[in-house]
Amino acid sequence: MSQNLIEKIAQKFAVGLDENQSVHSGDIISVKPAYVMTHDNTGAVIPKFKSIGATKLANPRQVVHTLDHNIQDTSEKNLEKYKKIEAFSNSMGADFYPAGRGIGHQIMCEEGYVWPGTMVVASDSHSNMYGGLGALGTPIVRTDAAAIWATGRTWWQIPQVVEVELNGQLRKGVVGKDVILALCSYFNNDEVLNHMIEFYGDGIKYLNIDQRLTIANMTTEWGALGGVFPIDETTIQWLKNRAKHVKERGLAGVPSDADGKGVNPRLNEVRIAELESSLDNLRPDADAFYAKSISIDLRSVEPYAAGPNSVKAAEPVSSLNKKNIKVNKAYLVSCVNSRLDDISEAAEVLRGKKIADGVEFYIAAASSEVQAESEKRGDWQTLIDAGATPLPPGCGPCIGLGAGLLEDGEVGISATNRNFKGRMGSPNAEAYLASPAVVANSALSGKIDFDWDGEHGEIIGEIKTNPKPEREKTIAKLVEGFPETIEGDLVYCYQDNLNTDGIYPGKYTYKDDITPEGQAEVVMENYDPEFGKIVKEGDILVGSYNFGTGSSREQAATALKYRGIQLVITGTAGATYMRNALNNGFLVLEIPELSDDLKTEYGDSKLTVITNSRAKIDFVNSVITYKEKEYSFTPVGTAAQELVVLGGLENWVKENL
C-alpha cells in the first residue's frame, strides 16, 4: 500500500515492526525519534524520569534541553530551578542551551537538530514548527519525554493526513503569517483537527524558510498535530547557508560537538550532500491516500488580523483599520514571528519614525543569533529608535510571563501565535494576531492599521473529503496478556466535543491527594451528574466526535478507568486525550460507524443511555459485534497492547529499563 510523506517518516523511525510491515494512518507504533526537546518544563520531567527508576539517559545525543519560557524571572526560586535543570543536563551528558540563547524551537532549527525527513518531538505544542524544514515535528506530553529519556522510545498513533495545496504567488506586503491566518479563519470548522498536514503546490517555491516555519508553527492553532513542507532546493540552500555560518561561527559548546571532531556533527557539507542524494525517497508516493484535500489561492490572500481572542476570526486589515480599534500594546516576539525577516519587515515600516503616543511596543528576537544579525543589519536599532522596548530572546509575553503583559481593558496586537483570552495578561483585555509589518504599522498609527494598496477580495479555497480505501484484512498479533476478546454492555453519550472538563471537572484537577475512588465518584459530573451512579463495572462507553477535547488533564481518562469502564469507543477522539488514556493503560478506539448508528438509534434524548445491549470486541480480527452487526476498527498495534497490559507508559518504561 502506498504511503504519504508522514507515513514514510513514521516508518523510518518506527521500531519493533514485523518484517515487511507497512505503517499507515491509524496505526499505533513504537517510535524512536531523532531528538526530543524540553524547555523550562524539563524541571517537571526530571521527577517523572527519576520516579520510574531511571538513572541515565538511554541516548544523551537524543536529548536537548533549552531554557526559554520564563527567562525574565530573576527571582531566587526561578534561578535555582534553572541551576538544577542545568546541573541535571550536564550530569546526564545532554545538549543544554541556557537562558538567553533563544527559544527552544528556533535553537532546534539553527543548530541542525531539525533535519528534513526526520521525526523530532518536543514537550511543547509548537514543535509543529519543524515541518517548515520538512521534518515531522509533533508535540508530546511530559510522560513521553521521560520515557524517551529513559528508553529512547515512546509510542505514536499515526494521524490521518490532509494535503493542503498552496497555489500562486503572494502579493507584495502579504507574508506567511497572513497565509496561516487565512487558513485558520476560512477553514474554521475543525477540518484539520487532530490531523497531520502535508503542504504542496506551485506556490511553495515562492515561500522562504522563515515563512514556511511560521505557517507550520501555527498549524497548531488550526487544530492540526503538525504541518510538513516538501524538501526542495529552498530547504537545501537554507541548510547550506546555515552550515556555512556555523562553520565560520564555531561550535555551540554542547557535548555533541565532540562527535564531529571539530566539525558540527549535524550541520555539515557531507550530511547535506547525503540528503540531496536521497530526496526521491522523501516524497509521497504518487497514489498516496489523504483523508482530505484542501487548496487555497495565495493570490487571494491579503494582510489579516485575527481576533479579538480567537484565531478563527480573521478580517482583512483593510476592513479593520476603518473601525479605529485603538491599540495599547504591540508585540514582535515568540517562536512564530521573531526571525530576521520578521524584524526586518517591522523595521522597514518604522525606519525614521516613532510609535504613537500611548503605545508600548515590545520586541524579542527568536534567538541571540537572530538578534546579533539583526543588530548587524541595523534593523534592531531602528525598532529601538522608534520607541520599542527590547526583551531578551525568549517566550515572555507570548505565554503571559515577564514584562509588558496586557492589563484590564487594554487592546494588544501581536505577531505571536495565540490570542486566547487571558493568555497574554488580563482576561479582560483583547488580543489580536497579525504579521510583523501589521503590528509595526499598528504601533505607529495607534490603531490596527496597515498601508496596503492591493485589491480586496474573497479568499479562494476549496476542500473535499476523500473516500477511505479499504485496508487489507490482517490478523492482529497479540502480546502475552492482551485479551483476544472482551465483552460488555454499551453505554452511549451523544454529545460531540465532550471536553475534559465535562468528563473530569477542573475544580478537582489540582487536588493531588484525590484517590482513584474519588476520581471515579466525580467522573462526568459536569456532563451528567447521574453517570457515575448508573454505569456499572465492565461497561463500554461509546462517545461521539472529538471526545476528550480541551485541556491535557490525564484524570479525564483515569477517572473513567477507575469507574470500571473497560474502554472508550468514539467517532473520533481528541489526540491529547487518547495519548493520556493510553499512557495510563486505558484503550480508546475510533469507530465512527458505531457511534453514528447509536446516534441514529438513541438521538439526544438522554445525556447517558444505558443500552442494556452487549457488544463483543474481537481484537484478533479487529471487529466489534453489536446487535449482530460487525464494525471494523484499525488493529490495535503491539505498542498499544503492551501499554494496556502493563498499565501504562511509566510501567512500560520500568519494564524496558
Side-chain angles (χ1 to χ4, degrees):
M1 188 173 173
S2 299
Q3 291 178 312
N4 52 48
L5 180 58
I6 302 302
E7 292 166 336
K8 284 190 173 186
I9 298 175
Q11 179 92 40
K12 183 178 176 183
F13 287 86
V15 292
L17 298 179
D18 292 338
E19 188 177 357
N20 299 322
Q21 181 180 348
S22 178
V23 303
H24 298 279
S25 293
D27 291 345
I28 297 174
I29 57 176
S30 183
V31 292
K32 186 179 286 187
Y35 292 100
V36 55
M37 185 273 283
T38 55
H39 44 68
D40 294 32
N41 59 21
T42 304
V45 179
I46 291 171
K48 283 183 173 289
F49 175 76
K50 291 180 176 178
S51 72
I52 55 182
T55 57
K56 64 179 182 178
L57 302 179
N59 178 8
R61 293 295 178 266
Q62 188 185 27
V63 178
V64 184
H65 297 142
T66 67
L67 298 179
D68 63 5
H69 270 53
N70 199 25
I71 65 172
Q72 294 180 48
D73 183 356
T74 56
S75 67
E76 186 177 339
K77 182 179 180 181
N78 195 54
L79 292 178
E80 185 61 29
K81 172 184 173 179
Y82 278 7
K83 285 179 184 176
K84 287 181 179 179
I85 292 172
E86 183 173 6
F88 172 83
S89 188
N90 290 341
S91 71
M92 293 289 162
D95 282 3
F96 173 81
Y97 294 88
R101 173 61 184 86
I103 300 174
H105 300 308
Q106 181 70 16
I107 292 170
M108 294 292 284
C109 296
E110 288 182 355
E111 298 296 340
Y113 299 103
V114 175
W115 193 257
T118 67
M119 183 177 192
V120 182
V121 301
S123 182
D124 186 274
S125 60
H126 287 109
S127 46
N128 296 22
M129 189 176 100
Y130 310 152
L133 282 168
L136 197 173
T138 196
I140 55 168
V141 297
R142 295 171 183 181
T143 303
D144 295 308
I148 297 171
W149 289 4
T151 68
R153 297 163 53 189
T154 188
W155 64 274
W156 193 54
Q157 182 171 34
I158 306 173
Q160 294 296 317
V161 183
V162 176
E163 58 178 351
V164 175
E165 184 177 18
L166 305 178
N167 291 315
Q169 186 173 4
L170 292 172
R171 291 176 283 176
K172 185 178 179 181
V174 185
V175 293
K177 183 61 159 278
D178 299 307
V179 174
I180 190 61
L181 291 180
L183 288 168
C184 288
S185 60
Y186 189 76
F187 301 103
N188 63 1
N189 291 308
D190 295 335
E191 289 91 342
V192 299
L193 185 67
N194 296 329
H195 289 65
M196 289 292 294
I197 292 167
E198 287 183 27
F199 292 102
Y200 78 105
D202 62 22
I204 287 177
K205 63 177 176 284
Y206 302 112
L207 300 175
N208 64 28
I209 293 299
D210 279 7
Q211 291 178 318
R212 297 180 192 189
L213 291 170
T214 293
I215 294 168
N217 180 293
M218 283 190 63
T219 56
T220 303
E221 281 63 48
W222 197 11
L225 295 173
V228 179
F229 277 82
I231 306 157
D232 58 11
E233 282 305 312
T234 301
T235 317
I236 299 296
Q237 191 57 53
W238 187 93
L239 293 171
K240 288 179 177 178
N241 293 342
R242 186 65 198 166
K244 180 182 178 183
H245 170 82
V246 166
K247 188 175 181 179
E248 294 170 352
R249 176 205 71 182
L251 299 174
V254 293
S256 66
D257 286 345
D259 300 346
K261 297 176 179 161
V263 176
N264 187 290
R266 293 171 301 280
L267 282 164
N268 56 67
E269 295 171 357
V270 172
R271 199 172 182 216
I272 294 171
E274 290 174 351
L275 175 65
E276 285 186 280
S277 67
S278 62
L279 287 181
D280 286 345
N281 298 321
L282 293 171
R283 296 188 177 99
D285 293 329
D287 55 348
F289 173 72
Y290 295 93
K292 297 174 185 177
S293 299
I294 290 174
S295 67
I296 188 168
D297 188 337
L298 298 182
R299 291 160 296 200
S300 69
V301 177
E302 59 184 282
Y304 292 97
N309 305 335
S310 173
V311 180
K312 292 185 176 182
E315 283 189 62
V317 183
S318 57
S319 299
L320 285 172
N321 62 13
K322 297 172 185 174
K323 297 182 180 181
N324 292 315
I325 301 172
K326 182 183 176 183
V327 168
N328 304 100
K329 290 186 171 83
Y331 305 88
L332 179 55
V333 300
S334 87
C335 59
V336 68
N337 270 131
S338 289
R339 283 176 282 277
L340 281 174
D341 285 357
D342 304 316
I343 295 168
S344 179
E345 288 160 13
E348 190 64 29
V349 171
L350 291 171
R351 189 162 281 113
K353 301 172 184 174
K354 294 285 186 182
I355 62 173
D357 291 339
V359 175
E360 298 172 29
F361 183 26
Y362 295 91
I363 59 173
S367 74
S368 58
E369 290 205 358
V370 168
Q371 182 172 331
E373 180 60 26
S374 185
E375 288 172 347
K376 184 177 175 183
R377 297 182 182 187
D379 293 336
W380 192 255
Q381 191 60 45
T382 294
L383 296 180
I384 293 174
D385 290 344
T389 300
L391 301 173
C395 300
C398 174
I399 190 67
L401 296 169
L405 304 188
L406 289 172
E407 298 178 9
D408 285 357
E410 289 189 329
V411 174
I413 187 161
S414 177
T416 53
N417 39 34
R418 285 186 177 154
N419 58 347
F420 301 156
K421 187 177 182 180
R423 176 179 170 88
M424 297 186 68
S426 169
N428 297 317
E430 292 186 340
Y432 291 81
L433 301 179
S435 72
V438 171
V439 168
N441 256 287
S442 301
L444 182 65
S445 299
K447 67 172 188 175
I448 297 178
D449 188 22
F450 186 54
D451 183 17
W452 188 67
D453 56 8
E455 291 184 11
H456 169 62
E458 296 297 319
I459 293 173
I460 300 172
E462 293 182 341
I463 182 171
K464 68 174 182 176
T465 300
N466 302 316
K468 190 173 180 180
E470 284 288 326
R471 285 187 70 164
E472 184 180 335
K473 281 282 186 182
T474 58
I475 301 298
K477 177 183 175 183
L478 302 185
V479 303
E480 184 177 349
F482 192 83
E484 291 188 4
T485 62
I486 64 170
E487 294 187 35
D489 289 346
L490 296 190
V491 173
Y492 177 60
C493 295
Y494 73 87
Q495 184 173 308
D496 288 338
N497 303 304
L498 180 54
N499 63 38
T500 48
D501 200 66
I503 302 169
Y504 188 81
K507 63 185 178 182
Y508 304 115
T509 301
Y510 297 104
K511 289 189 175 182
D512 295 337
D513 58 349
I514 194 167
T515 63
E517 293 77 16
Q519 288 189 31
E521 285 179 9
V522 301
V523 68
M524 294 290 224
E525 188 178 90
N526 282 351
Y527 169 70
D528 180 2
E530 297 300 309
F531 179 92
K533 303 171 186 175
I534 60 178
V535 300
K536 63 183 183 298
E537 292 245 350
D539 281 348
I540 296 169
L541 173 62
V542 181
S544 194
Y545 288 82
N546 200 22
F547 184 91
T549 187
S551 79
S552 59
R553 69 191 68 155
E554 66 177 19
Q555 299 99 319
T558 56
L560 286 167
K561 178 182 178 180
Y562 296 148
R563 183 58 190 85
I565 299 297
Q566 289 195 73
L567 78 161
V568 171
I569 296 171
T570 68
T572 58
T576 302
Y577 182 84
M578 183 175 283
R579 178 144 222 105
N580 279 326
L582 204 45
N583 277 350
N584 284 279
F586 188 57
L587 194 60
V588 178
L589 299 177
E590 294 182 320
I591 312 178
E593 295 83 2
L594 176 58
S595 181
D596 291 344
D597 281 358
L598 287 176
K599 183 165 283 190
T600 299
E601 185 174 355
Y602 296 107
D604 58 3
S605 57
K606 289 184 179 179
L607 292 171
T608 305
V609 175
I610 306 298
T611 69
N612 293 312
S613 297
R614 206 148 183 85
K616 179 177 180 180
I617 303 177
D618 178 351
F619 289 108
V620 176
N621 296 294
S622 304
V623 295
I624 178 171
T625 304
Y626 171 70
K627 292 189 174 179
E628 300 183 351
K629 183 176 178 180
E630 284 192 349
Y631 303 84
S632 297
F633 55 87
T634 300
V636 179
T638 55
Q641 293 176 39
E642 288 175 355
L643 290 169
V644 172
V645 170
L646 293 171
L649 186 59
E650 290 192 19
N651 289 336
W652 179 89
V653 172
K654 292 175 183 177
E655 194 79 11
N656 285 274
L657 279 177

